[in-house]
Amino acid sequence: MRTYKLTIAYDGTNYQGWQRQSDTDRTIQGILEETLENCIGYQVQIDGSGRTDAGVHAEGNVAVFDCDTTIPSDKIKYALNNLLPEDIVVVESIAAEDNFHPRHCDCRKTYQYRILNTALPDPNRRRNTYFYRGRLDIDSMRRAAEYIVGTHDFVCFMASGSQVKDTVRTVYSLELERKDDIITMTIQGNGFLYNMVRIIAGTLLMVGRGQMRPEEVEKIIDKRDRKGAGPTAPAKGLTLKVIEYE
C-alpha cells in the first residue's frame, strides 16, 4: 500500500464544493473517488487539504490517497484525466511519503479573489470573477489590507457554522493589483477559517466603496466583531492558487 499525492485544478461552478456529501454526488471529492475506483477497481478514500465551498475554483488543490496499483505514480494523472469531466484536471500525481497528509503538514496557502470592475458584465468571465460596476478606491483597500497582515485572532472574518476552536491564523501577505478592468486580491497564509477569504474580500470592497474607513479594519479585528466586518463575497471570484508544503 502506497500513498499518492494529487494536485488538482477545477472549475467549481457546477459543484457543491470539495467535500463528499450524502445528498449529492456533485462534489470534487466525490467525482475523484468515483473516477479513481473506475481506474483501480476498488473504492479508495481521497483526503484533501481542506474544503473549498460550492462555486470556488482551484488551480493547485492537494489531496492524497492510499492504494495498491500497478499504474506508475506519474501516469495516474493521465488515467484519471481520461475519465474525469472536463472541468476537473489532475495536474500532477506523485508518490508521497507515508506520513504526509495535506491537512496536517505545515504549509502556505495562496488564494486569489478577482473582481471585474467595469461598466458592463462580461459573459466570458462570469464564472471566475465577481462583477462590480461602481468605482473602487484601490489605494484605500491597500491601506486596509495592511491591518490584516500578521498573526491575529480572525474570528471576525469567520462565518457561522464552523466548529473550529482555535481561530488564530497568520496572514503572510495580502496584495491588491489592478490590471485593466480586473482587481485581484492575492492572500497567503498558514490556513484560513470558514469563508475567511471571501469575508476579507467583502470587507475590502466596503472600504473601496467608501462605506468603511481603512483604519476601521484594525478595530474590527481587535474587537473580534463579525458583525462589523463586510459581507461574504460571492464564491465564484475565489480561486485556490497553490499550496506550498514545508
Side-chain angles (χ1 to χ4, degrees):
M1 189 77 70
R2 291 213 60 177
T3 300
Y4 296 91
K5 173 187 171 186
L6 304 178
T7 303
I8 309 139
Y10 49 85
D11 176 344
T13 303
N14 296 321
Y15 297 94
Q16 296 301 309
W18 165 269
Q19 188 178 22
R20 182 195 325 104
Q21 300 174 34
S22 59
D23 58 345
T24 179
D25 58 358
R26 298 299 296 174
T27 67
I28 305 298
Q29 182 185 22
I31 294 293
L32 282 169
E33 289 179 344
E34 178 183 326
T35 304
L36 186 58
E37 181 181 356
N38 291 334
C39 282
I40 64 175
Y42 59 92
Q43 288 186 336
V44 170
Q45 178 174 313
I46 295 177
D47 293 317
S49 65
R51 306 172 184 177
T52 51
D53 298 333
V56 173
H57 316 294
E59 293 181 9
N61 204 350
V62 174
V64 295
F65 64 92
D66 296 328
C67 80
D68 286 318
T69 179
T70 59
I71 305 174
S73 60
D74 62 334
K75 304 299 183 186
I76 290 175
K77 63 178 179 288
Y78 298 112
L80 290 172
N81 288 334
N82 283 336
L83 300 174
L84 284 168
E86 62 183 1
D87 51 6
I88 303 176
V89 174
V90 177
V91 297
E92 183 182 57
S93 58
I94 61 173
E97 295 186 11
D98 292 339
N99 62 351
F100 174 76
H101 193 287
R103 281 200 308 275
H104 303 149
C105 296
D106 292 338
C107 69
R108 291 178 177 234
K109 293 185 177 182
T110 302
Y111 282 89
Q112 282 189 344
Y113 196 90
R114 300 172 75 243
I115 303 160
L116 177 62
N117 186 212
T118 187
L120 296 172
D122 183 341
N124 294 310
R125 292 186 283 187
R126 72 189 188 281
R127 286 176 172 261
N128 65 350
T129 60
Y130 166 55
F131 168 66
Y132 181 75
R133 179 181 287 110
R135 178 183 176 275
L136 291 172
D137 183 345
I138 192 169
D139 290 331
S140 292
M141 295 168 73
R142 286 171 175 153
R143 290 198 299 275
E146 293 176 2
Y147 296 109
I148 297 171
V149 175
T151 301
H152 306 285
D153 184 340
F154 283 111
V155 69
C156 62
F157 296 135
M158 183 178 72
S160 61
S162 174
Q163 302 300 316
V164 173
K165 294 182 180 179
D166 181 7
T167 52
V168 174
R169 297 290 186 273
T170 299
V171 172
Y172 300 115
S173 61
L174 176 52
E175 300 175 353
L176 289 110
E177 178 185 14
R178 179 164 199 135
K179 187 174 182 181
D180 299 326
D181 53 9
I182 295 286
I183 295 175
T184 302
M185 180 189 87
T186 304
I187 184 169
Q188 184 185 82
N190 65 352
F192 296 95
L193 304 170
Y194 180 42
N195 282 352
M196 177 174 164
V197 179
R198 291 167 58 193
I199 295 171
I200 288 174
T203 303
L204 294 183
L205 278 164
M206 286 187 66
V207 173
R209 290 192 292 258
Q211 297 172 313
M212 180 186 297
R213 298 189 308 278
E215 56 270 22
E216 290 182 64
V217 172
E218 182 179 29
K219 297 177 182 178
I220 292 167
I221 295 172
D222 290 342
K223 292 181 179 180
R224 303 193 300 170
D225 179 15
R226 172 64 189 98
K227 293 181 179 179
T232 304
K236 62 183 180 178
L238 184 61
T239 299
L240 172 56
K241 295 290 289 184
V242 65
I243 304 175
E244 301 166 278
Y245 288 93
E246 297 182 3

